[in-house]
Amino acid sequence: MDGLMKGKRGLVMGVANDHSIAWGIARKLSEHGAELAFTYQGEAFGRRVRPLADKLGSSLVVPCDVEDSASVAATFETLGEAWGGLDFVVHAIGFSDKNELKGLYADTSRDNFVRTMVISCYSFTEVARHAAALMKGSGSMITLTYAGSVRVMPNYNVMGVAKAGLEASVRYLANDYGPRGIRVNGISAGPVRTLAGAGISDARHMFSYQQRNSPLRRTVTIDEVGGSALYLLSDLSSGVTGEIHYVDSGYHIVSMPALDELKR
Ligand code: NAD
């Protein structure tokens, strides 16, 4: 099992700190032998990401702001020069103005709608295009999504709409790149306490509600998301593409609160 990712090189985008989902994924991939590169958004995050990358023996740490196409292109140019190829990509990036992650979805502004879509949805398509150009023979890509894409979650608002677009992108990209042996999948994670998660109003109530009402009666850890990412990025899942894989303690299968909750 230890060598599942041995000989594979990949890019992890979206580590902000050691609570980030991308960090849980990176740790798991590294444990299984992957060689990793990281991106960070701006120098303040760079100061946090470099020591983390260092812990996993990675010195390829490059700035990338996905709002800027030139920055995305430069990232993959750097990777191409350093490695000459690429086996996998982890896209764990999302953003929306927190002032609009509360209240009515109907009040979403045009500016924030566009910005949220560019960063949280389109960026995966742009990243996939650059990554695929470096993948020779086969490859695997994943992005991170949330069940607010398919069902209404309080305050998730425009992020839910962006995640719906992101999940559709997973299917279209899987179909585009499948003939070249490149797989594209999404992980729909349950709520995790991260910087991005904290931007959603009343997030702590959602968190404890899912702890009480998911089949496993708990939320998930970044390590558990990492385990599923390892499966999707390794050859274990060689027949799987275009899939949205839920890592949410089973919360998405229930249609009503748990009995204990109903009787409260
Ligand atoms: P996080 O705050 O640790 O990570 C979000 C990352 O997005 C940060 O590293 C940030 O720098 C990056 N980012 C934002 N705008 C960017 C830009 N313009 N250019 C480059 N990078 C940018 O939070 P997280 O919860 O680990 O989020 C990772 C992914 O997981 C996101 O897509 C998020 O929507 C998704 N997700 C989170 C949860 C949760 O409950 N935390 C649940 C399901 C899915």
Side-chain angles (χ1 to χ4, degrees):
M1 261 284 267
D2 280 3
L4 222 41
M5 299 301 287
K6 222 171 181 63
K8 291 192 194 288
R9 287 169 154 171
L11 177 65
V12 178
M13 309 180 78
V15 176
N17 54 41
D18 60 356
H19 297 287
S20 294
I21 292 175
W23 176 241
I25 294 173
R27 242 176 6 203
K28 192 62 88 178
L29 295 171
S30 172
E31 266 171 36
H32 288 264
E35 190 177 341
L36 301 176
F38 292 86
T39 60
Y40 61 88
Q41 178 204 8
E43 200 34 49
F45 284 122
R47 279 192 289 276
R48 287 171 179 232
V49 176
R50 273 188 291 270
L52 290 174
D54 199 44
K55 278 190 189 173
L56 303 185
S58 169
S59 53
L60 200 46
V61 185
V62 289
C64 182
D65 185 333
V66 298
E67 267 193 292
D68 174 9
S69 286
S71 172
V72 178
T75 296
F76 284 91
E77 210 168 296
T78 305
L79 270 187
E81 280 164 15
W83 285 347
L86 189 66
D87 298 297
F88 64 87
V89 171
V90 175
H91 172 276
I93 288 174
F95 175 83
S96 185
D97 181 348
K98 68 178 168 45
N99 293 315
E100 297 196 4
L101 296 176
K102 60 183 172 192
L104 302 186
Y105 164 69
D107 291 335
T108 303
S109 66
R110 179 183 289 248
D111 281 354
N112 185 48
F113 186 96
V114 170
R115 193 162 183 225
T116 303
M117 280 291 172
V118 167
I119 298 174
S120 312
C121 177
Y122 179 70
S123 70
F124 183 53
T125 296
E126 191 161 51
V127 160
R129 190 164 58 241
H130 286 287
L134 288 178
M135 290 177 170
K136 313 217 167 90
S138 67
S140 182
M141 311 181 193
I142 59 167
T143 187
L144 268 296
T145 184
Y146 179 58
S149 59
V150 284
R151 287 188 290 160
V152 173
M153 301 288 182
N155 300 323
Y156 202 58
N157 296 354
V158 64
M159 275 303 288
V161 176
K163 293 299 194 192
L166 180 67
E167 292 177 16
S169 307
V170 165
R171 292 184 283 273
Y172 277 91
L173 291 167
N175 191 57
D176 284 351
Y177 293 131
R180 291 175 45 191
I182 298 170
R183 301 183 294 108
V184 185
N185 292 287
I187 290 180
S188 184
V192 179
R193 290 188 205 276
T194 62
L195 266 185
I200 301 154
S201 196
D202 299 323
R204 67 197 166 88
H205 296 297
M206 302 275 292
F207 196 80
S208 61
Y209 186 84
Q210 297 213 6
Q211 279 177 333
R212 296 195 304 275
N213 294 288
S214 62
L216 293 180
R217 298 290 190 273
R218 62 179 180 82
T219 48
V220 296
T221 64
I222 59 172
D223 211 48
E224 289 175 314
V225 180
S228 290
L230 173 66
Y231 160 72
L232 288 171
L233 295 171
S234 73
D235 296 341
L236 282 180
S237 61
S238 56
V240 179
T241 195
E243 197 63 42
I244 303 299
H245 176 71
Y246 282 80
V247 184
D248 67 343
S249 302
Y251 183 77
H252 71 289
I253 66 163
V254 298
S255 66
M256 285 185 75
L259 267 182
D260 291 349
E261 182 88 9
L262 285 175
K263 291 176 182 170
R264 259 154 67 104

PDB file of all heavy atoms in Angstrom, residues 47-62:
ATOM      1  N   ARG A  47       4.048  32.274   3.124  1.00  0.00           N
ATOM      2  CA  ARG A  47       4.827  32.084   4.356  1.00  0.00           C
ATOM      3  C   ARG A  47       4.335  30.887   5.168  1.00  0.00           C
ATOM      4  O   ARG A  47       5.067  30.300   5.939  1.00  0.00           O
ATOM      5  CB  ARG A  47       4.767  33.366   5.207  1.00  0.00           C
ATOM      6  CG  ARG A  47       5.754  34.418   4.716  1.00  0.00           C
ATOM      7  CD  ARG A  47       5.905  35.546   5.726  1.00  0.00           C
ATOM      8  NE  ARG A  47       4.706  36.383   5.779  1.00  0.00           N
ATOM      9  CZ  ARG A  47       4.459  37.395   4.944  1.00  0.00           C
ATOM     10  NH1 ARG A  47       5.328  37.700   4.010  1.00  0.00           N
ATOM     11  NH2 ARG A  47       3.349  38.097   5.054  1.00  0.00           N
ATOM     12  N   ARG A  48       3.042  30.538   4.999  1.00  0.00           N
ATOM     13  CA  ARG A  48       2.513  29.366   5.708  1.00  0.00           C
ATOM     14  C   ARG A  48       2.718  28.082   4.922  1.00  0.00           C
ATOM     15  O   ARG A  48       2.920  27.013   5.493  1.00  0.00           O
ATOM     16  CB  ARG A  48       1.004  29.534   5.933  1.00  0.00           C
ATOM     17  CG  ARG A  48       0.721  30.539   6.991  1.00  0.00           C
ATOM     18  CD  ARG A  48      -0.740  30.832   7.033  1.00  0.00           C
ATOM     19  NE  ARG A  48      -0.992  31.800   8.096  1.00  0.00           N
ATOM     20  CZ  ARG A  48      -1.873  31.631   9.036  1.00  0.00           C
ATOM     21  NH1 ARG A  48      -2.598  30.544   9.080  1.00  0.00           N
ATOM     22  NH2 ARG A  48      -2.038  32.539   9.964  1.00  0.00           N
ATOM     23  N   VAL A  49       2.621  28.188   3.613  1.00  0.00           N
ATOM     24  CA  VAL A  49       2.656  26.978   2.782  1.00  0.00           C
ATOM     25  C   VAL A  49       4.077  26.414   2.649  1.00  0.00           C
ATOM     26  O   VAL A  49       4.260  25.193   2.678  1.00  0.00           O
ATOM     27  CB  VAL A  49       2.033  27.259   1.381  1.00  0.00           C
ATOM     28  CG1 VAL A  49       2.153  26.044   0.470  1.00  0.00           C
ATOM     29  CG2 VAL A  49       0.566  27.659   1.532  1.00  0.00           C
ATOM     30  N   ARG A  50       5.079  27.307   2.548  1.00  0.00           N
ATOM     31  CA  ARG A  50       6.462  26.821   2.336  1.00  0.00           C
ATOM     32  C   ARG A  50       6.923  25.851   3.437  1.00  0.00           C
ATOM     33  O   ARG A  50       7.413  24.761   3.122  1.00  0.00           O
ATOM     34  CB  ARG A  50       7.430  27.984   2.149  1.00  0.00           C
ATOM     35  CG  ARG A  50       7.494  28.417   0.656  1.00  0.00           C
ATOM     36  CD  ARG A  50       8.600  29.429   0.416  1.00  0.00           C
ATOM     37  NE  ARG A  50       8.295  30.705   1.036  1.00  0.00           N
ATOM     38  CZ  ARG A  50       7.637  31.693   0.430  1.00  0.00           C
ATOM     39  NH1 ARG A  50       7.238  31.581  -0.813  1.00  0.00           N
ATOM     40  NH2 ARG A  50       7.378  32.808   1.077  1.00  0.00           N
ATOM     41  N   PRO A  51       6.737  26.211   4.738  1.00  0.00           N
ATOM     42  CA  PRO A  51       7.175  25.250   5.766  1.00  0.00           C
ATOM     43  C   PRO A  51       6.388  23.939   5.715  1.00  0.00           C
ATOM     44  O   PRO A  51       6.939  22.874   6.013  1.00  0.00           O
ATOM     45  CB  PRO A  51       6.905  25.976   7.088  1.00  0.00           C
ATOM     46  CG  PRO A  51       6.540  27.375   6.759  1.00  0.00           C
ATOM     47  CD  PRO A  51       6.276  27.480   5.306  1.00  0.00           C
ATOM     48  N   LEU A  52       5.116  24.003   5.327  1.00  0.00           N
ATOM     49  CA  LEU A  52       4.326  22.765   5.231  1.00  0.00           C
ATOM     50  C   LEU A  52       4.863  21.890   4.092  1.00  0.00           C
ATOM     51  O   LEU A  52       5.055  20.683   4.258  1.00  0.00           O
ATOM     52  CB  LEU A  52       2.842  23.094   4.991  1.00  0.00           C
ATOM     53  CG  LEU A  52       2.096  23.729   6.170  1.00  0.00           C
ATOM     54  CD1 LEU A  52       0.679  24.154   5.755  1.00  0.00           C
ATOM     55  CD2 LEU A  52       2.005  22.753   7.346  1.00  0.00           C
ATOM     56  N   ALA A  53       5.116  22.536   2.946  1.00  0.00           N
ATOM     57  CA  ALA A  53       5.661  21.795   1.799  1.00  0.00           C
ATOM     58  C   ALA A  53       6.996  21.167   2.181  1.00  0.00           C
ATOM     59  O   ALA A  53       7.286  20.017   1.830  1.00  0.00           O
ATOM     60  CB  ALA A  53       5.832  22.741   0.614  1.00  0.00           C
ATOM     61  N   ASP A  54       7.776  21.935   2.926  1.00  0.00           N
ATOM     62  CA  ASP A  54       9.092  21.473   3.374  1.00  0.00           C
ATOM     63  C   ASP A  54       8.977  20.171   4.177  1.00  0.00           C
ATOM     64  O   ASP A  54       9.773  19.250   4.018  1.00  0.00           O
ATOM     65  CB  ASP A  54       9.711  22.599   4.217  1.00  0.00           C
ATOM     66  CG  ASP A  54      11.195  22.417   4.333  1.00  0.00           C
ATOM     67  OD1 ASP A  54      11.818  22.111   3.295  1.00  0.00           O
ATOM     68  OD2 ASP A  54      11.717  22.532   5.459  1.00  0.00           O
ATOM     69  N   LYS A  55       7.939  20.104   5.022  1.00  0.00           N
ATOM     70  CA  LYS A  55       7.723  18.894   5.841  1.00  0.00           C
ATOM     71  C   LYS A  55       7.541  17.656   4.973  1.00  0.00           C
ATOM     72  O   LYS A  55       7.828  16.543   5.395  1.00  0.00           O
ATOM     73  CB  LYS A  55       6.434  19.043   6.669  1.00  0.00           C
ATOM     74  CG  LYS A  55       6.584  19.816   7.939  1.00  0.00           C
ATOM     75  CD  LYS A  55       5.312  19.659   8.741  1.00  0.00           C
ATOM     76  CE  LYS A  55       5.332  20.606   9.932  1.00  0.00           C
ATOM     77  NZ  LYS A  55       4.066  20.618  10.645  1.00  0.00           N
ATOM     78  N   LEU A  56       7.008  17.863   3.752  1.00  0.00           N
ATOM     79  CA  LEU A  56       6.776  16.716   2.864  1.00  0.00           C
ATOM     80  C   LEU A  56       7.886  16.601   1.822  1.00  0.00           C
ATOM     81  O   LEU A  56       7.762  15.888   0.830  1.00  0.00           O
ATOM     82  CB  LEU A  56       5.406  16.840   2.178  1.00  0.00           C
ATOM     83  CG  LEU A  56       4.197  16.971   3.115  1.00  0.00           C
ATOM     84  CD1 LEU A  56       2.893  16.966   2.317  1.00  0.00           C
ATOM     85  CD2 LEU A  56       4.155  15.843   4.147  1.00  0.00           C
ATOM     86  N   GLY A  57       8.970  17.339   2.068  1.00  0.00           N
ATOM     87  CA  GLY A  57      10.137  17.236   1.183  1.00  0.00           C
ATOM     88  C   GLY A  57       9.944  17.902  -0.163  1.00  0.00           C
ATOM     89  O   GLY A  57      10.598  17.545  -1.147  1.00  0.00           O
ATOM     90  N   SER A  58       9.021  18.875  -0.231  1.00  0.00           N
ATOM     91  CA  SER A  58       8.762  19.530  -1.521  1.00  0.00           C
ATOM     92  C   SER A  58       9.335  20.943  -1.545  1.00  0.00           C
ATOM     93  O   SER A  58       9.062  21.748  -0.651  1.00  0.00           O
ATOM     94  CB  SER A  58       7.253  19.593  -1.760  1.00  0.00           C
ATOM     95  OG  SER A  58       6.988  20.440  -2.853  1.00  0.00           O
ATOM     96  N   SER A  59      10.106  21.231  -2.580  1.00  0.00           N
ATOM     97  CA  SER A  59      10.664  22.586  -2.688  1.00  0.00           C
ATOM     98  C   SER A  59      10.049  23.344  -3.864  1.00  0.00           C
ATOM     99  O   SER A  59      10.354  24.496  -4.108  1.00  0.00           O
ATOM    100  CB  SER A  59      12.179  22.516  -2.829  1.00  0.00           C
ATOM    101  OG  SER A  59      12.484  21.660  -3.898  1.00  0.00           O
ATOM    102  N   LEU A  60       9.173  22.667  -4.600  1.00  0.00           N
ATOM    103  CA  LEU A  60       8.514  23.311  -5.748  1.00  0.00           C
ATOM    104  C   LEU A  60       7.223  23.964  -5.243  1.00  0.00           C
ATOM    105  O   LEU A  60       6.155  23.332  -5.176  1.00  0.00           O
ATOM    106  CB  LEU A  60       8.231  22.244  -6.802  1.00  0.00           C
ATOM    107  CG  LEU A  60       7.998  22.675  -8.241  1.00  0.00           C
ATOM    108  CD1 LEU A  60       9.025  23.696  -8.706  1.00  0.00           C
ATOM    109  CD2 LEU A  60       8.013  21.464  -9.158  1.00  0.00           C
ATOM    110  N   VAL A  61       7.330  25.229  -4.860  1.00  0.00           N
ATOM    111  CA  VAL A  61       6.205  25.954  -4.245  1.00  0.00           C
ATOM    112  C   VAL A  61       6.068  27.271  -4.995  1.00  0.00           C
ATOM    113  O   VAL A  61       6.958  28.121  -4.914  1.00  0.00           O
ATOM    114  CB  VAL A  61       6.476  26.211  -2.742  1.00  0.00           C
ATOM    115  CG1 VAL A  61       5.278  26.846  -2.072  1.00  0.00           C
ATOM    116  CG2 VAL A  61       6.839  24.901  -2.034  1.00  0.00           C
ATOM    117  N   VAL A  62       4.969  27.420  -5.737  1.00  0.00           N
ATOM    118  CA  VAL A  62       4.873  28.581  -6.640  1.00  0.00           C
ATOM    119  C   VAL A  62       3.601  29.388  -6.382  1.00  0.00           C
ATOM    120  O   VAL A  62       2.555  28.824  -6.039  1.00  0.00           O
ATOM    121  CB  VAL A  62       4.906  28.140  -8.132  1.00  0.00           C
ATOM    122  CG1 VAL A  62       6.272  27.651  -8.524  1.00  0.00           C
ATOM    123  CG2 VAL A  62       3.873  27.069  -8.427  1.00  0.00           C
TER     124      VAL A  62
END
